[in-house]
Amino acid sequence: GLERWACIFQDADSNFDTDLFMPTIKMVEELSGTLYDGSMPYKVIADHVRSLTFALADGANFDNVGRGYILRRLLRRSVRYGKKLGLKGKFMYKLVDSVVLNMKDVYPYLLNKQAHVKALIMQEEDLFLKTLDKGEKKLLELMDESLDNKIKGNDVFKLYDTYGFPFELTLEILAEKG
């Protein structure tokens, strides 16, 4: 609701073109050296870092189950989109500052949680970047070896079980590659 009202009152083309998201999108532009063109990577990153900031500040944590797993998926999806923009290494934790700065007047408790949230995101980014490199290399090998443009289910499970590479991410990459 808030985003739609902002969109209407600010005469913006989308929720992401409002003052609720543009400070974060501008920071993504700076970090990536690319300009916002309304494309999905910017929107996903801005939306997900805001969700992560609030959830972690409210006491949630990254985990392998439940809401913690949802948070993990949000971060991992954002990191992958960041790679599409040319972002290398950790960057999501840096965006927490723009969310807190933008929302602190309405949610002042974010200021007290800012360092904690950044530390949690940085730690999770470290873990995922290691997982992403290993798993993505293995997935690309499997794709190159495939004669029928398919990956076996047991190979997908091995990517998850052995390399920690999420099933959803495997599906996303396979869909992107056709």
Side-chain angles (χ1 to χ4, degrees), residues 14-71:
S14 80
N15 297 346
F16 296 96
D17 298 316
T18 67
D19 61 2
L20 294 171
F21 289 101
M22 284 309 294
T24 304
I25 289 172
K26 291 289 183 196
M27 193 170 221
V28 173
E29 284 181 326
E30 287 177 33
L31 293 172
S32 68
T34 61
L35 292 177
Y36 174 58
D37 57 3
S39 65
M40 188 65 71
Y42 297 93
K43 294 174 180 179
V44 167
I45 293 167
D47 177 68
H48 289 6
V49 75
R50 187 174 78 163
S51 297
L52 289 168
T53 300
F54 276 97
L56 295 169
D58 288 343
N61 283 300
F62 295 105
D63 203 346
N64 288 329
V65 295
R67 70 180 181 176
Y69 183 66
I70 301 300
L71 296 178

Short mmCIF file of all heavy atoms in Angstrom, two decimals, residues 14-71:
data_model
loop_
_atom_site.label_atom_id
_atom_site.label_comp_id
_atom_site.label_asym_id
_atom_site.label_seq_id
_atom_site.Cartn_x
_atom_site.Cartn_y
_atom_site.Cartn_z
N SER A 14 6.79 3.42 -11.56
CA SER A 14 6.65 2.19 -10.78
C SER A 14 6.99 2.48 -9.32
O SER A 14 7.53 3.54 -9.00
CB SER A 14 7.58 1.09 -11.32
OG SER A 14 8.90 1.26 -10.85
N ASN A 15 6.69 1.52 -8.46
CA ASN A 15 7.02 1.66 -7.04
C ASN A 15 8.52 1.91 -6.85
O ASN A 15 8.93 2.59 -5.92
CB ASN A 15 6.65 0.39 -6.27
CG ASN A 15 5.17 0.11 -6.30
OD1 ASN A 15 4.36 0.94 -6.66
ND2 ASN A 15 4.82 -1.10 -5.92
N PHE A 16 9.31 1.35 -7.73
CA PHE A 16 10.77 1.44 -7.58
C PHE A 16 11.32 2.81 -8.00
O PHE A 16 12.46 3.13 -7.70
CB PHE A 16 11.44 0.32 -8.38
CG PHE A 16 11.09 -1.03 -7.83
CD1 PHE A 16 10.06 -1.78 -8.36
CD2 PHE A 16 11.77 -1.54 -6.73
CE1 PHE A 16 9.72 -3.00 -7.84
CE2 PHE A 16 11.45 -2.76 -6.18
CZ PHE A 16 10.41 -3.50 -6.74
N ASP A 17 10.51 3.59 -8.67
CA ASP A 17 10.93 4.93 -9.09
C ASP A 17 10.51 6.00 -8.09
O ASP A 17 10.40 7.17 -8.43
CB ASP A 17 10.35 5.24 -10.48
CG ASP A 17 10.84 4.28 -11.54
OD1 ASP A 17 12.03 3.98 -11.56
OD2 ASP A 17 10.01 3.79 -12.35
N THR A 18 10.28 5.58 -6.85
CA THR A 18 9.88 6.50 -5.79
C THR A 18 11.03 6.68 -4.80
O THR A 18 12.03 5.95 -4.85
CB THR A 18 8.66 5.96 -5.02
OG1 THR A 18 9.04 4.78 -4.31
CG2 THR A 18 7.49 5.67 -5.95
N ASP A 19 10.84 7.62 -3.89
CA ASP A 19 11.88 7.87 -2.89
C ASP A 19 12.01 6.74 -1.86
O ASP A 19 12.89 6.77 -1.01
CB ASP A 19 11.65 9.21 -2.19
CG ASP A 19 10.34 9.30 -1.43
OD1 ASP A 19 9.58 8.31 -1.40
OD2 ASP A 19 10.07 10.38 -0.88
N LEU A 20 11.17 5.73 -1.95
CA LEU A 20 11.29 4.57 -1.07
C LEU A 20 12.40 3.61 -1.54
O LEU A 20 12.98 2.90 -0.73
CB LEU A 20 9.96 3.82 -0.99
CG LEU A 20 8.82 4.58 -0.32
CD1 LEU A 20 7.51 3.82 -0.49
CD2 LEU A 20 9.12 4.83 1.15
N PHE A 21 12.65 3.59 -2.83
CA PHE A 21 13.64 2.67 -3.39
C PHE A 21 14.80 3.35 -4.11
O PHE A 21 15.89 2.78 -4.20
CB PHE A 21 12.97 1.70 -4.38
CG PHE A 21 12.09 0.69 -3.73
CD1 PHE A 21 10.72 0.84 -3.73
CD2 PHE A 21 12.63 -0.43 -3.12
CE1 PHE A 21 9.90 -0.10 -3.13
CE2 PHE A 21 11.83 -1.38 -2.52
CZ PHE A 21 10.45 -1.21 -2.52
N MET A 22 14.59 4.55 -4.63
CA MET A 22 15.63 5.18 -5.45
C MET A 22 16.95 5.42 -4.71
O MET A 22 18.01 5.27 -5.33
CB MET A 22 15.12 6.47 -6.09
CG MET A 22 14.20 6.24 -7.28
SD MET A 22 14.87 5.10 -8.55
CE MET A 22 16.26 6.04 -9.17
N PRO A 23 16.97 5.75 -3.42
CA PRO A 23 18.28 5.90 -2.77
C PRO A 23 19.11 4.61 -2.82
O PRO A 23 20.32 4.66 -3.05
CB PRO A 23 17.92 6.27 -1.32
CG PRO A 23 16.59 6.94 -1.44
CD PRO A 23 15.88 6.18 -2.54
N THR A 24 18.45 3.48 -2.65
CA THR A 24 19.16 2.20 -2.73
C THR A 24 19.56 1.90 -4.16
O THR A 24 20.68 1.44 -4.42
CB THR A 24 18.29 1.06 -2.15
OG1 THR A 24 17.92 1.40 -0.81
CG2 THR A 24 19.02 -0.26 -2.16
N ILE A 25 18.69 2.17 -5.09
CA ILE A 25 19.00 1.94 -6.51
C ILE A 25 20.19 2.82 -6.92
O ILE A 25 21.07 2.37 -7.64
CB ILE A 25 17.76 2.18 -7.39
CG1 ILE A 25 16.76 1.03 -7.16
CG2 ILE A 25 18.13 2.30 -8.86
CD1 ILE A 25 15.40 1.21 -7.81
N LYS A 26 20.21 4.06 -6.44
CA LYS A 26 21.34 4.95 -6.75
C LYS A 26 22.65 4.38 -6.19
O LYS A 26 23.70 4.47 -6.82
CB LYS A 26 21.10 6.36 -6.18
CG LYS A 26 20.01 7.12 -6.88
CD LYS A 26 20.45 7.54 -8.25
CE LYS A 26 19.39 8.36 -8.94
NZ LYS A 26 19.63 8.47 -10.38
N MET A 27 22.58 3.78 -5.02
CA MET A 27 23.77 3.18 -4.43
C MET A 27 24.21 1.96 -5.25
O MET A 27 25.42 1.75 -5.43
CB MET A 27 23.50 2.79 -2.98
CG MET A 27 24.74 2.47 -2.21
SD MET A 27 24.34 2.31 -0.46
CE MET A 27 25.74 3.14 0.23
N VAL A 28 23.26 1.20 -5.76
CA VAL A 28 23.59 0.06 -6.64
C VAL A 28 24.27 0.59 -7.91
O VAL A 28 25.25 0.00 -8.38
CB VAL A 28 22.35 -0.79 -6.99
CG1 VAL A 28 22.68 -1.85 -8.03
CG2 VAL A 28 21.77 -1.43 -5.73
N GLU A 29 23.78 1.69 -8.44
CA GLU A 29 24.42 2.32 -9.59
C GLU A 29 25.88 2.65 -9.29
O GLU A 29 26.78 2.36 -10.09
CB GLU A 29 23.70 3.61 -9.99
CG GLU A 29 22.41 3.45 -10.71
CD GLU A 29 21.80 4.80 -11.09
OE1 GLU A 29 21.95 5.78 -10.32
OE2 GLU A 29 21.16 4.86 -12.15
N GLU A 30 26.11 3.28 -8.15
CA GLU A 30 27.47 3.66 -7.76
C GLU A 30 28.38 2.44 -7.62
O GLU A 30 29.52 2.45 -8.11
CB GLU A 30 27.45 4.42 -6.43
CG GLU A 30 26.91 5.82 -6.51
CD GLU A 30 26.85 6.47 -5.13
OE1 GLU A 30 27.71 6.17 -4.28
OE2 GLU A 30 25.93 7.28 -4.92
N LEU A 31 27.89 1.43 -6.94
CA LEU A 31 28.71 0.24 -6.70
C LEU A 31 29.01 -0.54 -7.98
O LEU A 31 30.09 -1.11 -8.13
CB LEU A 31 28.03 -0.68 -5.68
CG LEU A 31 27.90 -0.14 -4.26
CD1 LEU A 31 27.03 -1.07 -3.42
CD2 LEU A 31 29.28 0.03 -3.62
N SER A 32 28.03 -0.55 -8.89
CA SER A 32 28.19 -1.35 -10.11
C SER A 32 28.77 -0.56 -11.27
O SER A 32 29.24 -1.16 -12.24
CB SER A 32 26.83 -1.93 -10.53
OG SER A 32 25.95 -0.90 -10.96
N GLY A 33 28.71 0.76 -11.20
CA GLY A 33 29.17 1.57 -12.32
C GLY A 33 28.22 1.51 -13.51
O GLY A 33 28.60 1.79 -14.64
N THR A 34 26.97 1.12 -13.26
CA THR A 34 25.96 1.05 -14.31
C THR A 34 24.82 1.99 -13.97
O THR A 34 24.66 2.38 -12.81
CB THR A 34 25.40 -0.39 -14.46
OG1 THR A 34 24.78 -0.76 -13.23
CG2 THR A 34 26.50 -1.38 -14.80
N LEU A 35 24.03 2.34 -14.95
CA LEU A 35 22.90 3.23 -14.73
C LEU A 35 21.60 2.45 -14.68
O LEU A 35 21.39 1.52 -15.46
CB LEU A 35 22.82 4.28 -15.85
CG LEU A 35 23.95 5.30 -15.88
CD1 LEU A 35 23.79 6.24 -17.07
CD2 LEU A 35 24.00 6.09 -14.58
N TYR A 36 20.74 2.85 -13.77
CA TYR A 36 19.43 2.23 -13.61
C TYR A 36 18.63 2.41 -14.89
O TYR A 36 18.45 3.53 -15.38
CB TYR A 36 18.71 2.87 -12.42
CG TYR A 36 17.29 2.42 -12.22
CD1 TYR A 36 16.97 1.08 -12.03
CD2 TYR A 36 16.25 3.34 -12.20
CE1 TYR A 36 15.66 0.67 -11.82
CE2 TYR A 36 14.95 2.96 -11.98
CZ TYR A 36 14.66 1.61 -11.80
OH TYR A 36 13.36 1.22 -11.60
N ASP A 37 18.15 1.30 -15.41
CA ASP A 37 17.37 1.33 -16.64
C ASP A 37 15.98 0.73 -16.44
O ASP A 37 15.30 0.38 -17.40
CB ASP A 37 18.11 0.59 -17.76
CG ASP A 37 18.42 -0.85 -17.38
OD1 ASP A 37 18.03 -1.30 -16.28
OD2 ASP A 37 19.07 -1.54 -18.20
N GLY A 38 15.59 0.59 -15.18
CA GLY A 38 14.29 0.00 -14.87
C GLY A 38 14.29 -1.52 -14.91
O GLY A 38 13.24 -2.13 -14.76
N SER A 39 15.46 -2.12 -15.08
CA SER A 39 15.51 -3.57 -15.22
C SER A 39 15.43 -4.29 -13.88
O SER A 39 15.61 -3.71 -12.81
CB SER A 39 16.76 -4.00 -15.98
OG SER A 39 17.92 -3.68 -15.26
N MET A 40 15.17 -5.58 -13.97
CA MET A 40 14.93 -6.43 -12.81
C MET A 40 16.05 -6.45 -11.78
O MET A 40 15.76 -6.41 -10.58
CB MET A 40 14.61 -7.84 -13.29
CG MET A 40 14.15 -8.76 -12.18
SD MET A 40 12.58 -8.29 -11.45
CE MET A 40 11.46 -8.69 -12.76
N PRO A 41 17.33 -6.54 -12.16
CA PRO A 41 18.36 -6.63 -11.12
C PRO A 41 18.29 -5.52 -10.08
O PRO A 41 18.39 -5.79 -8.89
CB PRO A 41 19.67 -6.58 -11.92
CG PRO A 41 19.32 -7.15 -13.24
CD PRO A 41 17.92 -6.66 -13.50
N TYR A 42 18.11 -4.29 -10.50
CA TYR A 42 18.04 -3.16 -9.57
C TYR A 42 16.86 -3.30 -8.63
O TYR A 42 16.96 -3.05 -7.43
CB TYR A 42 17.92 -1.84 -10.33
CG TYR A 42 19.09 -1.51 -11.19
CD1 TYR A 42 19.11 -1.86 -12.54
CD2 TYR A 42 20.19 -0.84 -10.68
CE1 TYR A 42 20.19 -1.56 -13.35
CE2 TYR A 42 21.27 -0.52 -11.47
CZ TYR A 42 21.26 -0.89 -12.80
OH TYR A 42 22.33 -0.57 -13.60
N LYS A 43 15.72 -3.68 -9.20
CA LYS A 43 14.49 -3.79 -8.41
C LYS A 43 14.60 -4.91 -7.38
O LYS A 43 14.21 -4.75 -6.23
CB LYS A 43 13.30 -4.02 -9.34
CG LYS A 43 13.02 -2.84 -10.24
CD LYS A 43 11.92 -3.16 -11.24
CE LYS A 43 11.65 -1.97 -12.15
NZ LYS A 43 10.61 -2.26 -13.14
N VAL A 44 15.10 -6.06 -7.81
CA VAL A 44 15.24 -7.20 -6.90
C VAL A 44 16.17 -6.84 -5.76
O VAL A 44 15.86 -7.07 -4.58
CB VAL A 44 15.74 -8.45 -7.65
CG1 VAL A 44 16.19 -9.54 -6.69
CG2 VAL A 44 14.66 -8.99 -8.59
N ILE A 45 17.32 -6.28 -6.08
CA ILE A 45 18.31 -5.94 -5.06
C ILE A 45 17.73 -4.93 -4.07
O ILE A 45 17.83 -5.11 -2.85
CB ILE A 45 19.61 -5.43 -5.71
CG1 ILE A 45 20.30 -6.57 -6.47
CG2 ILE A 45 20.54 -4.83 -4.65
CD1 ILE A 45 21.42 -6.11 -7.39
N ALA A 46 17.10 -3.87 -4.57
CA ALA A 46 16.55 -2.83 -3.69
C ALA A 46 15.44 -3.39 -2.80
O ALA A 46 15.40 -3.11 -1.59
CB ALA A 46 16.03 -1.66 -4.52
N ASP A 47 14.57 -4.19 -3.37
CA ASP A 47 13.48 -4.77 -2.60
C ASP A 47 13.99 -5.75 -1.55
O ASP A 47 13.58 -5.71 -0.39
CB ASP A 47 12.50 -5.48 -3.54
CG ASP A 47 11.38 -6.16 -2.79
OD1 ASP A 47 10.54 -5.45 -2.20
OD2 ASP A 47 11.34 -7.41 -2.77
N HIS A 48 14.91 -6.61 -1.96
CA HIS A 48 15.39 -7.66 -1.06
C HIS A 48 16.25 -7.11 0.07
O HIS A 48 16.16 -7.59 1.20
CB HIS A 48 16.14 -8.73 -1.84
CG HIS A 48 15.25 -9.59 -2.70
ND1 HIS A 48 13.91 -9.37 -2.88
CD2 HIS A 48 15.54 -10.68 -3.45
CE1 HIS A 48 13.41 -10.29 -3.69
NE2 HIS A 48 14.38 -11.10 -4.04
N VAL A 49 17.08 -6.10 -0.20
CA VAL A 49 17.90 -5.56 0.90
C VAL A 49 17.02 -4.84 1.91
O VAL A 49 17.29 -4.87 3.11
CB VAL A 49 19.06 -4.66 0.39
CG1 VAL A 49 18.57 -3.29 -0.06
CG2 VAL A 49 20.12 -4.53 1.47
N ARG A 50 15.96 -4.24 1.45
CA ARG A 50 15.02 -3.61 2.40
C ARG A 50 14.35 -4.68 3.26
O ARG A 50 14.29 -4.55 4.49
CB ARG A 50 13.98 -2.78 1.65
CG ARG A 50 13.10 -1.98 2.60
CD ARG A 50 12.17 -1.07 1.88
NE ARG A 50 11.05 -1.84 1.36
CZ ARG A 50 9.90 -1.30 0.97
NH1 ARG A 50 9.73 0.01 1.00
NH2 ARG A 50 8.94 -2.05 0.52
N SER A 51 13.89 -5.76 2.64
CA SER A 51 13.27 -6.85 3.39
C SER A 51 14.24 -7.46 4.40
O SER A 51 13.89 -7.71 5.55
CB SER A 51 12.78 -7.94 2.44
OG SER A 51 11.78 -7.45 1.59
N LEU A 52 15.46 -7.70 3.95
CA LEU A 52 16.48 -8.28 4.83
C LEU A 52 16.78 -7.36 6.01
O LEU A 52 16.90 -7.81 7.15
CB LEU A 52 17.76 -8.56 4.05
CG LEU A 52 17.71 -9.71 3.04
CD1 LEU A 52 18.94 -9.69 2.15
CD2 LEU A 52 17.58 -11.05 3.75
N THR A 53 16.91 -6.08 5.73
CA THR A 53 17.24 -5.12 6.78
C THR A 53 16.17 -5.13 7.87
O THR A 53 16.49 -5.22 9.06
CB THR A 53 17.40 -3.71 6.19
OG1 THR A 53 18.47 -3.73 5.24
CG2 THR A 53 17.70 -2.69 7.27
N PHE A 54 14.93 -5.07 7.47
CA PHE A 54 13.85 -5.06 8.45
C PHE A 54 13.74 -6.39 9.19
O PHE A 54 13.60 -6.41 10.42
CB PHE A 54 12.52 -4.69 7.81
CG PHE A 54 12.31 -3.21 7.68
CD1 PHE A 54 12.58 -2.56 6.49
CD2 PHE A 54 11.86 -2.46 8.76
CE1 PHE A 54 12.41 -1.20 6.37
CE2 PHE A 54 11.68 -1.09 8.65
CZ PHE A 54 11.95 -0.45 7.45
N ALA A 55 13.79 -7.49 8.47
CA ALA A 55 13.64 -8.80 9.11
C ALA A 55 14.77 -9.07 10.11
O ALA A 55 14.52 -9.52 11.23
CB ALA A 55 13.59 -9.90 8.05
N LEU A 56 16.00 -8.80 9.69
CA LEU A 56 17.14 -9.04 10.58
C LEU A 56 17.13 -8.09 11.78
O LEU A 56 17.45 -8.48 12.90
CB LEU A 56 18.45 -8.94 9.81
CG LEU A 56 18.66 -10.02 8.73
CD1 LEU A 56 19.85 -9.67 7.84
CD2 LEU A 56 18.80 -11.40 9.33
N ALA A 57 16.73 -6.85 11.55
CA ALA A 57 16.62 -5.89 12.65
C ALA A 57 15.53 -6.29 13.64
O ALA A 57 15.61 -5.99 14.82
CB ALA A 57 16.35 -4.48 12.11
N ASP A 58 14.53 -7.00 13.14
CA ASP A 58 13.43 -7.45 13.99
C ASP A 58 13.74 -8.77 14.69
O ASP A 58 12.88 -9.32 15.38
CB ASP A 58 12.14 -7.59 13.17
CG ASP A 58 11.55 -6.24 12.78
OD1 ASP A 58 11.93 -5.22 13.39
OD2 ASP A 58 10.71 -6.22 11.86
N GLY A 59 14.94 -9.32 14.47
CA GLY A 59 15.34 -10.52 15.20
C GLY A 59 15.40 -11.80 14.41
O GLY A 59 15.77 -12.85 14.95
N ALA A 60 15.03 -11.78 13.16
CA ALA A 60 15.13 -12.98 12.33
C ALA A 60 16.62 -13.24 12.04
O ALA A 60 17.46 -12.35 12.20
CB ALA A 60 14.36 -12.81 11.03
N ASN A 61 16.92 -14.46 11.62
CA ASN A 61 18.29 -14.83 11.27
C ASN A 61 18.30 -15.72 10.04
O ASN A 61 17.30 -16.40 9.75
CB ASN A 61 18.98 -15.58 12.42
CG ASN A 61 19.41 -14.65 13.52
OD1 ASN A 61 20.21 -13.75 13.30
ND2 ASN A 61 18.86 -14.84 14.70
N PHE A 62 19.41 -15.76 9.35
CA PHE A 62 19.57 -16.68 8.23
C PHE A 62 19.59 -18.10 8.78
O PHE A 62 20.16 -18.35 9.85
CB PHE A 62 20.88 -16.39 7.48
CG PHE A 62 20.90 -15.06 6.81
CD1 PHE A 62 21.65 -14.01 7.32
CD2 PHE A 62 20.18 -14.83 5.65
CE1 PHE A 62 21.68 -12.77 6.70
CE2 PHE A 62 20.19 -13.60 5.02
CZ PHE A 62 20.94 -12.57 5.54
N ASP A 63 18.96 -19.02 8.05
CA ASP A 63 18.88 -20.41 8.51
C ASP A 63 18.58 -21.31 7.32
O ASP A 63 18.38 -20.83 6.20
CB ASP A 63 17.78 -20.53 9.57
CG ASP A 63 17.95 -21.72 10.49
OD1 ASP A 63 18.75 -22.62 10.19
OD2 ASP A 63 17.27 -21.75 11.53
N ASN A 64 18.53 -22.60 7.58
CA ASN A 64 18.22 -23.57 6.54
C ASN A 64 16.74 -23.95 6.51
O ASN A 64 16.34 -24.75 5.67
CB ASN A 64 19.06 -24.84 6.73
CG ASN A 64 20.51 -24.61 6.37
OD1 ASN A 64 20.83 -23.79 5.51
ND2 ASN A 64 21.39 -25.31 7.05
N VAL A 65 15.96 -23.41 7.43
CA VAL A 65 14.54 -23.74 7.50
C VAL A 65 13.72 -22.48 7.77
O VAL A 65 14.23 -21.48 8.27
CB VAL A 65 14.22 -24.78 8.60
CG1 VAL A 65 14.86 -26.12 8.29
CG2 VAL A 65 14.68 -24.29 9.96
N GLY A 66 12.44 -22.56 7.46
CA GLY A 66 11.49 -21.51 7.79
C GLY A 66 11.83 -20.14 7.25
O GLY A 66 12.38 -20.01 6.15
N ARG A 67 11.53 -19.13 8.04
CA ARG A 67 11.75 -17.76 7.59
C ARG A 67 13.23 -17.47 7.36
O ARG A 67 13.59 -16.65 6.52
CB ARG A 67 11.13 -16.75 8.54
CG ARG A 67 11.82 -16.63 9.89
CD ARG A 67 11.14 -15.62 10.76
NE ARG A 67 11.84 -15.53 12.04
CZ ARG A 67 11.53 -14.68 12.98
NH1 ARG A 67 10.53 -13.84 12.80
NH2 ARG A 67 12.21 -14.65 14.11
N GLY A 68 14.09 -18.14 8.11
CA GLY A 68 15.52 -17.96 7.92
C GLY A 68 15.97 -18.42 6.54
O GLY A 68 16.88 -17.85 5.95
N TYR A 69 15.31 -19.45 6.03
CA TYR A 69 15.63 -19.94 4.69
C TYR A 69 15.13 -18.95 3.63
O TYR A 69 15.80 -18.73 2.63
CB TYR A 69 15.03 -21.33 4.45
CG TYR A 69 15.40 -21.89 3.11
CD1 TYR A 69 16.73 -22.21 2.82
CD2 TYR A 69 14.45 -22.09 2.13
CE1 TYR A 69 17.09 -22.71 1.57
CE2 TYR A 69 14.80 -22.60 0.88
CZ TYR A 69 16.12 -22.91 0.61
OH TYR A 69 16.47 -23.40 -0.62
N ILE A 70 13.98 -18.35 3.89
CA ILE A 70 13.47 -17.32 2.97
C ILE A 70 14.45 -16.16 2.90
O ILE A 70 14.77 -15.65 1.82
CB ILE A 70 12.08 -16.82 3.40
CG1 ILE A 70 11.07 -17.95 3.45
CG2 ILE A 70 11.61 -15.67 2.51
CD1 ILE A 70 10.83 -18.66 2.15
N LEU A 71 14.96 -15.74 4.04
CA LEU A 71 15.95 -14.65 4.07
C LEU A 71 17.21 -15.05 3.29
O LEU A 71 17.76 -14.25 2.53
CB LEU A 71 16.32 -14.28 5.50
CG LEU A 71 15.20 -13.73 6.37
CD1 LEU A 71 15.70 -13.45 7.78
CD2 LEU A 71 14.60 -12.48 5.74
#
